[in-house]
Every structure is written in C-alpha cells, then in structure tokens.
Amino acid sequence: VVHSYLANFVIVASAKYPANTLRELIDAGKSKPGTINWATPGIGSAPHLVLAWLQATSGAEFTNVLYKEVSQSWTDIQSGQADVTINPPGPVVQAMKAGRVKPLAYSG
C-alpha cells in the first residue's frame, strides 16, 4: 500500500502560497531556508519521505510541520495555514477545481 501511495502523488501548495511550480518552491526553499511549512503526518510517512528526498536532492530547506491527523494537515493546506504537502491525486483534483490548492508536481 505504501509503495502505490508513493508512486502516485501530487506535491500541492495552498492557493495562497506564492509558488506556482516546483522550481519556484525549490528556489524559495533555497533563498529563504526554513520559512516554508511542509505538512506531514509524521516522520517516515510518505509526505515526510518526499520532503526529505527533495531537500537532499535540491539543496532547499523546508520546515517539517508534524500533524497527528492527515485530515487536519489537508484542511490546513486548503485554508492556507500550511504551505505545502503531498497527497494522492483524488482529493487534490476536487480542491484544485474549487481554487483551494494548486498542484506543483505529479508523480505516477
């Protein structure tokens, strides 16, 4: 189950966050290290692993904001309380159509 989750995901930002592409997000993570809040449900979760990989390969630095509940992190992304996370495509499409989030990258 984890493998298929990792294979199909969207790096998604709050609609309020200024980056519109993954490159812009990485550039911001390099120029303003630690100022971008990346929501994860915990160390070792798929969102955390993607965050760690992206930081290690790009040189950008993000702040890992831990949530006890995935639903709360998703609520905070849609409301602009958190900046970025990853999610399966299904929920992202609905929130994107409603203008609450914007996709930055897709893997699948």
Side-chain angles (χ1 to χ4, degrees):
V1 173
V2 172
H3 179 268
S4 64
Y5 181 80
L6 284 172
N8 296 295
F9 68 85
V10 180
I11 296 177
V12 60
S14 166
K16 295 177 181 179
Y17 188 74
N20 292 307
T21 66
L22 184 58
R23 170 55 45 208
E24 290 176 6
L25 178 69
I26 290 169
D27 290 346
K30 287 179 175 180
S31 66
K32 301 175 192 167
T35 62
I36 300 164
N37 294 323
W38 189 296
T40 74
I43 304 299
S45 65
H48 175 254
L49 295 175
V50 171
L51 164 65
W53 171 81
L54 190 60
Q55 290 184 123
T57 59
S58 71
E61 292 182 35
F62 306 102
T63 297
N64 183 14
V65 179
L66 300 172
Y67 283 84
K68 289 182 181 179
E69 300 288 331
V70 173
S71 60
Q72 185 60 49
S73 68
W74 186 232
T75 298
D76 282 1
I77 290 292
Q78 293 182 78
S79 70
Q81 298 300 309
D83 300 319
V84 183
T85 194
I86 72 165
N87 231 335
V92 172
V93 171
Q94 290 178 325
M96 187 178 68
K97 286 180 180 178
R100 294 186 302 265
V101 300
K102 51 190 166 183
L104 303 181
Y106 174 78
S107 172

